[in-house]
Amino acid sequence: MQNVSYRPVTADCFSDDERAAVYKAIYTRRDVRDQFLPQAVPDEVLMRLLDAAHHAPSVGFMQPWNFIVIRDEARKVEIHRVFTRANEEAKSLFSDERQALYASLKLEGILKAPINLCITCDRTRGGKVVLGRTHNRQMDLYSTVCAVQNLWLAARAEGVGVGWVSIYHDQDMRRVLGIPDHVEIIAYLCIGYVDELHETPELEKRGWRKRLPLKELIFEDTWQDTTSISSDLPHQDPADASPATPSTSD
């Protein structure tokens, strides 16, 4: 085996400007739906985003992700049909007063975005026994979500918009993209340049929900009662009521 020497990197803090840039990407990141421009995303920019995703932390260094880049218009049309079918089902899950607002929301940019990207998790990668996943089988899924966030923040730094489409039937998406059973679909993203981003999350701006106060979400040492921040308890998870999950990011 080749003896490779790795030199540690100094764990110093960022400069004020560097630190500000990181927080700017975090605080100004938005879910983009209908604001995409027809301008193409250069291959070198896309590769930087994918490389950022590929450098996400992963349990056991298993790197379980794959990236399906979709540019073909006919394929996008198929995906849009998959979304439309599920979206109609999702709308029916909300109360009457919520349905009208839900129907007015633009929840995807599948046809408008120059690039669609499906990020998956290969649950067999690394073999049957993976360091760090021996007692928590879900860690490969969580690792892939970290890759999504890496890409999203890198995209914000590049001035590229990203939208997360989560309303679809899993089996329909698998059929259109030819995804095998042992691979989990983690995120379907719409990617492209935008002129502007919402100052606050669109769902907050449109009155769907407000950002929760951070101080109400921080506990010390043990779990505490969440009744004060969960106005709709008890409730049924829509995912249990229908195979279509009516969720979207901010």
Side-chain angles (χ1 to χ4, degrees):
M1 181 181 294
Q2 184 179 6
N3 186 15
V4 180
S5 176
Y6 292 99
R7 184 178 302 174
V9 177
T10 303
D12 56 343
C13 66
F14 287 9
S15 69
D16 290 347
D17 288 344
E18 291 169 336
R19 186 166 57 249
V22 172
Y23 283 106
K24 180 179 179 179
I26 292 171
Y27 291 134
T28 64
R29 178 213 56 82
R30 293 289 175 263
D31 192 32
V32 177
R33 301 185 180 100
D34 194 36
Q35 304 101 315
F36 291 107
L37 302 174
Q39 178 183 353
V41 177
D43 287 344
E44 59 268 26
V45 174
L46 177 61
M47 287 307 299
R48 285 200 294 268
L49 302 184
L50 295 177
D51 194 47
H54 186 45
H55 279 76
S58 64
V59 66
F61 202 43
M62 68 180 299
Q63 305 158 77
W65 40 71
N66 282 93
F67 309 99
I68 305 175
V69 179
I70 301 137
R71 294 187 177 94
D72 180 68
E73 295 302 324
R75 189 82 62 180
K76 290 181 186 178
V77 168
E78 288 188 79
I79 295 295
H80 191 261
R81 290 196 190 105
V82 167
F83 164 82
T84 301
R85 173 192 171 197
N87 193 48
E88 285 300 310
E89 297 170 351
K91 184 172 65 173
S92 68
L93 298 176
F94 294 98
S95 60
D96 291 342
E97 60 271 19
R98 283 292 222 180
Q99 280 191 25
L101 178 54
Y102 183 94
S104 71
L105 296 173
K106 176 67 175 178
L107 298 179
E108 49 77 32
I110 296 168
L111 299 178
K112 202 169 183 180
I115 294 173
N116 286 195
L117 178 69
C118 184
I119 300 182
T120 61
C121 174
D122 184 344
R123 309 214 68 190
T124 66
R125 193 165 296 164
K128 292 183 178 180
V129 181
V130 177
L131 187 156
R133 199 181 58 163
T134 54
H135 292 73
N136 189 339
R137 182 75 174 87
Q138 311 305 312
M139 290 305 296
D140 54 345
L141 303 177
Y142 303 155
S143 298
T144 309
V145 172
C146 289
V148 177
Q149 183 74 342
N150 265 24
L151 182 144
W152 212 336
L153 294 178
R156 178 66 191 94
E158 296 276 3
V160 174
V162 176
W164 190 328
V165 180
S166 59
I167 304 172
Y168 54 81
H169 288 279
D170 184 81
Q171 67 271 22
D172 289 344
M173 188 69 78
R174 290 179 180 278
R175 172 183 53 80
V176 174
L177 298 179
I179 297 173
D181 291 340
H182 69 277
V183 173
E184 193 77 19
I185 300 171
I186 301 301
Y188 191 91
L189 305 176
C190 300
I191 298 175
Y193 287 106
V194 294
D195 271 337
E196 58 185 12
L197 296 168
H198 291 286
E199 185 176 0
T200 59
E202 184 180 3
L203 293 183
E204 183 175 21
K205 181 179 179 181
R206 297 289 298 277
W208 187 264
R209 186 154 191 175
K210 295 181 179 180
R211 189 179 299 279
L212 297 172
L214 176 59
K215 65 180 181 180
E216 295 184 12
L217 306 176
I218 300 173
F219 302 153
E220 291 287 347
D221 297 323
T222 187
W223 183 262
Q224 297 173 23
D225 179 50
T226 61
T227 303
S228 62
I229 61 174
S230 302
S231 60
D232 55 351
L233 287 178
H235 71 285
Q236 182 182 21
D237 188 335
D240 296 333
S242 168
T245 306
S247 63
T248 189
S249 185
D250 63 13

